[in-house]
Amino acid sequence: MLRQIKDYTKIFKGIRLPWFLILLVLVISMIKSHVEVEAITITASIIDGTQNSIKTDELIRYIEFQLITGGITIAFTYLTGLLLQKINLAVRLRMWNKMMRLPTSYYDSDNVNELVTRVTTDAESAGNYFQLLIDIFTAVYAGIVAYQKLFDFQFQMALASLLVIPVMVFITWLYGRLTYTAGAAARTRLASVMGYLAEHVRSIRLMKSFCMEGEEQKKARGLFGRQCKADILLSYTSMIQLAGMEVMGCLNIVISFVLGSRMIASGDLTVGKLIGFYTLCGLAVTRLASLCTSVGTFSQNAGIMKKIGQVLDVPDEKEEGCEMDVADEDIVLDHVDFSYQSAKVLRDLNCSIPKGKVTAIVGTNGAGKTTLFKLLERMYDPTEGTILFGKRDVQDFKLSAWRKSFAIVSQDKPLLSGTVRDNILYGVERKVTEEELIHVAKMANVYDFVMDTPGQFDAQVGPGGSNFSGGQQQCIAIARAMMRNPDYLLLDEATSNLDVKSEKTVTEALSNLMKGRTTILIAHNYSATVFADQVIVLCDGQIEACGTPEELLRTNDYYRTFAHQAAEAGK
């Protein structure tokens, strides 16, 4: 239990909890316990008084207590729900902020779709933590108050009723252990199912194109079946709670009526007090049973909290360093190696990317071109070697400052949900005038087609930019990079997968963007390298050649083949 509490409490580190609201809920729960017990006491007094006549003042007092109990219950329910949602919100925000600070390498090893469940369904267990603590406190406090009154009613019977407690302790321990294991398994299965669905719903067209419906049904049947078994196992644990409640209920009846009948016969107990004792004993048993449920649920949710804790325990990207308030310099790769886990992707890269020039990178698929871009963006750090900015290690600079000096235009889903304006201004921290927006849109060949779109700059972008063509999406992405006004520009095959007309439009926009900037581009065709000041040929993660396009045409077989293929395609 202590380990589980530790798993919970570290989730709330750095979160400003609503302590006043928590204290208010606890106070109301204590008042509620006293009012419930007092109402039962008045009931016993009224029953004993019916042998003569019902006392009006006691009846009125009983009604008052019932109304107060109802009001307190409503307030308790509302405030507890408010507390729960406030805590859930705080934990969700912390989880999302953490996910944005995680190193890129973390997303290589964990299923990104499963991480969504950490922010959505799993985060709800954080609020449940306080809900359960309140429930446990309420159950214990109400049980103590009830037993105090039981001893006032009849000492010997109250002493006998304590036999319920060892039974409750054993049931709580067993229920807690089983629900922890079963709950963790059920949540793991659920995360797998949600991850599978999130990925495959987006790929319905791919599945249909390759006629994989049957195979995917088999996979889904296996996943859903394992989730079903885990849920069934979790539901079995509730049988322990139900059996325990039955046992405690039987003990309550035996103690109340077997012992109580004898004491009534001997004159040591009145009928009203017997009914009051039975009702109070039932209240105490109910509270103890709810304690069992709360502890079991606490254990079940501890498994979920462990998953969230594992994400929060991952070290953040290293942000510290100095600002980029220095003149532009060459970027130098000094004996750089990089591996994804155990697979080496880049080997002993040695080259210089000159400032203010255009450097093109060519190579076969899997040669390491995109990985090199990720190193330049500092999404990853070299496994060995150093990347230098002039003569300084790039890791000397603050990570956010380094990335702000770069802009990337890639071929892969460049647009986000929101308006066209939102997409162009994404990441821009300064105020942008309408005139500047229009100027950039014209430079990026965005203006004309946006003006023809209903809503113009405030037109909504569909999922993944679906309401714009591939060329239009790329032009909007170029406008976004242009608006950022970076010193260094990364173009990741920005004109691939486009038709001839769209490629021409995008190329014109890129030409405007590249002016006066250090540009590094991954080239998928020869024409993209002709105007480069330097071309780097990558082969199997190594630099095979580096030089001007003219030099490589004379000295490098791969580049000559690259150029020859382009010439053949143009015939």
Side-chain angles (χ1 to χ4, degrees), residues 480-496:
R480 178 169 59 210
M482 198 176 289
M483 186 65 75
R484 191 169 182 174
N485 194 26
D487 297 317
Y488 295 84
L489 183 63
L490 302 176
L491 305 178
D492 187 359
E493 300 193 49
T495 60
S496 65

Side-chain angles (χ1 to χ4, degrees), residues 153-411:
F153 273 14
Q154 222 298 319
F155 183 84
Q156 291 177 328
M157 289 176 62
L159 197 62
S161 69
L162 293 178
L163 292 172
V164 172
I165 295 178
V167 177
M168 183 273 298
V169 170
F170 173 75
I171 292 171
T172 301
W173 171 81
L174 182 60
Y175 182 60
R177 282 183 64 88
L178 292 177
T179 51
Y180 176 79
T181 305
R187 283 287 181 166
T188 299
R189 299 302 185 194
L190 177 61
S192 298
V193 167
M194 292 185 69
Y196 173 84
L197 290 174
E199 179 181 8
H200 285 72
V201 166
R202 291 196 300 266
S203 305
I204 286 290
R205 289 181 62 187
L206 176 65
M207 287 159 40
K208 288 181 176 293
S209 298
F210 284 83
C211 301
M212 288 294 290
E213 292 94 336
E215 289 298 319
E216 294 301 338
Q217 284 175 3
K218 290 179 183 178
K219 288 182 183 178
R221 188 179 296 113
L223 281 171
F224 296 164
R226 287 190 288 273
Q227 182 196 358
C228 180
K229 289 178 181 178
D231 290 339
I232 290 172
L233 180 61
L234 181 59
S235 68
Y236 285 163
T237 60
S238 62
M239 296 180 184
I240 297 172
Q241 180 202 10
L242 294 174
M245 289 180 67
E246 290 295 328
V247 171
M248 289 188 288
C250 289
L251 287 174
N252 179 29
I253 292 172
V254 169
I255 293 168
S256 297
F257 291 105
V258 174
L259 292 179
S261 61
R262 293 179 181 177
M263 292 184 176
I264 289 175
S266 63
D268 294 329
L269 191 69
T270 64
V271 174
K273 285 195 173 182
L274 173 60
I275 294 174
F277 183 92
Y278 173 74
T279 308
L280 277 173
C281 201
L283 176 64
V285 168
T286 301
R287 293 303 189 190
L288 292 176
S290 68
L291 177 63
C292 173
T293 303
S294 298
V295 171
T297 307
F298 186 92
S299 298
Q300 177 185 340
N301 287 347
I304 303 167
M305 290 297 97
K306 186 176 181 180
K307 293 282 188 180
I308 294 178
Q310 288 171 350
V311 177
L312 295 175
D313 285 342
V314 177
D316 293 348
E317 288 184 312
K318 295 180 180 178
E319 169 63 16
E320 63 274 5
C322 59
E323 296 291 340
M324 287 287 294
D325 51 354
V326 292
D328 291 355
E329 294 279 2
D330 295 347
I331 298 175
V332 180
L333 279 69
D334 183 17
H335 298 285
V336 169
D337 287 8
F338 180 75
S339 300
Y340 285 114
Q341 297 177 352
S342 59
K344 182 164 280 192
V345 180
L346 299 175
R347 300 176 181 83
D348 197 32
L349 300 190
N350 286 285
C351 66
S352 177
I353 298 171
K355 65 179 180 179
K357 304 291 184 180
V358 177
T359 297
I361 302 173
V362 301
T364 57
N365 291 334
K369 304 185 293 295
T370 300
T371 301
L372 176 56
F373 265 35
K374 291 177 180 178
L375 292 181
L376 293 174
E377 285 187 277
R378 290 176 63 187
M379 296 297 175
Y380 297 97
D381 293 327
T383 308
E384 295 181 21
T386 310
I387 299 177
L388 301 171
F389 185 74
K391 295 183 179 180
R392 299 179 64 175
D393 190 327
V394 296
Q395 295 191 27
D396 292 342
F397 297 101
K398 185 184 294 185
L399 185 60
S400 58
W402 175 264
R403 288 178 179 166
K404 285 177 182 178
S405 299
F406 284 78
I408 183 167
V409 180
S410 67
Q411 59 174 322

Side-chain angles (χ1 to χ4, degrees), residues 450-488:
V450 167
M451 289 298 104
D452 292 335
T453 303
Q456 299 180 345
F457 283 108
D458 293 317
Q460 289 292 322
V461 175
S466 57
N467 54 334
F468 291 100
S469 69
Q472 290 172 337
Q473 290 183 46
Q474 288 296 74
C475 286
I476 293 173
I478 291 167
R480 178 169 59 210
M482 198 176 289
M483 186 65 75
R484 191 169 182 174
N485 194 26
D487 297 317
Y488 295 84

